[in-house]
Amino acid sequence: MTVELERLWLTDRPILFVGAIKDISSIDQENYKVEIERNFFSSFEDMFMTELQLALQCPKQKIDLFLTEHADLFKEDGFKNEVVVIADIDEIESKTASWSGAEMEEIRIGKGKCIDFLYLGDTQLYR
């Protein structure tokens, strides 16, 4: 339920989120919107009925430097674009989506500001 996620994400402390970069788009001259979703392969390890994503405002300077340092980030079908993100979440949006006529999927999107992130590449996180 969204209320459970609110208790974890809508606090005065930042969250840590592991996921893959889904999209980067301009908000204005100084900021990008960076969309991050859970990695396809990690979704098999942690079976949540709800998809979790982030939509974060990040400084263009930080993202441009990151993309320069990791120029091949989106090669190989995007399977090596995993990042760890630290973010302040201000709100949670809930929506549903249907993929090719399949059953509906719940999506919770944490919206806020990016504090920092780290490229993981093909690093495997073990629990």
Side-chain angles (χ1 to χ4, degrees), residues 14-106:
I15 67 161
L16 181 111
F17 188 88
V18 178
I21 297 173
K22 178 179 176 183
D23 192 26
I24 300 172
S25 60
S26 292
I27 294 175
D28 55 34
Q29 292 292 330
E30 297 174 5
N31 297 289
Y32 285 122
K33 177 172 117 178
V34 179
E35 296 178 36
I36 300 172
E37 61 187 355
R38 286 191 324 134
N39 182 299
F40 175 76
F41 295 111
S42 67
S43 62
F44 291 119
E45 297 169 13
D46 302 316
M47 296 302 284
F48 292 115
M49 299 306 287
T50 302
E51 178 62 31
L52 302 176
Q53 298 179 5
L54 298 180
L56 304 174
Q57 177 179 319
C58 300
K60 281 189 174 184
Q61 183 178 15
K62 182 178 279 203
I63 298 299
D64 290 340
L65 178 62
F66 178 79
L67 293 174
T68 300
E69 290 174 354
H70 307 287
D72 61 346
L73 186 66
F74 296 103
K75 293 182 180 174
E76 299 183 38
D77 297 323
F79 288 120
K80 293 187 178 186
N81 65 352
E82 193 160 67
V83 293
V84 173
V85 179
I86 300 170
D88 281 323
I89 304 301
D90 301 318
E91 67 176 292
I92 298 172
E93 177 183 300
S94 299
K95 67 179 187 177
T96 57
S98 176
W99 311 110
S100 301
E103 61 183 76
M104 300 297 279
E105 177 182 36
E106 293 287 326

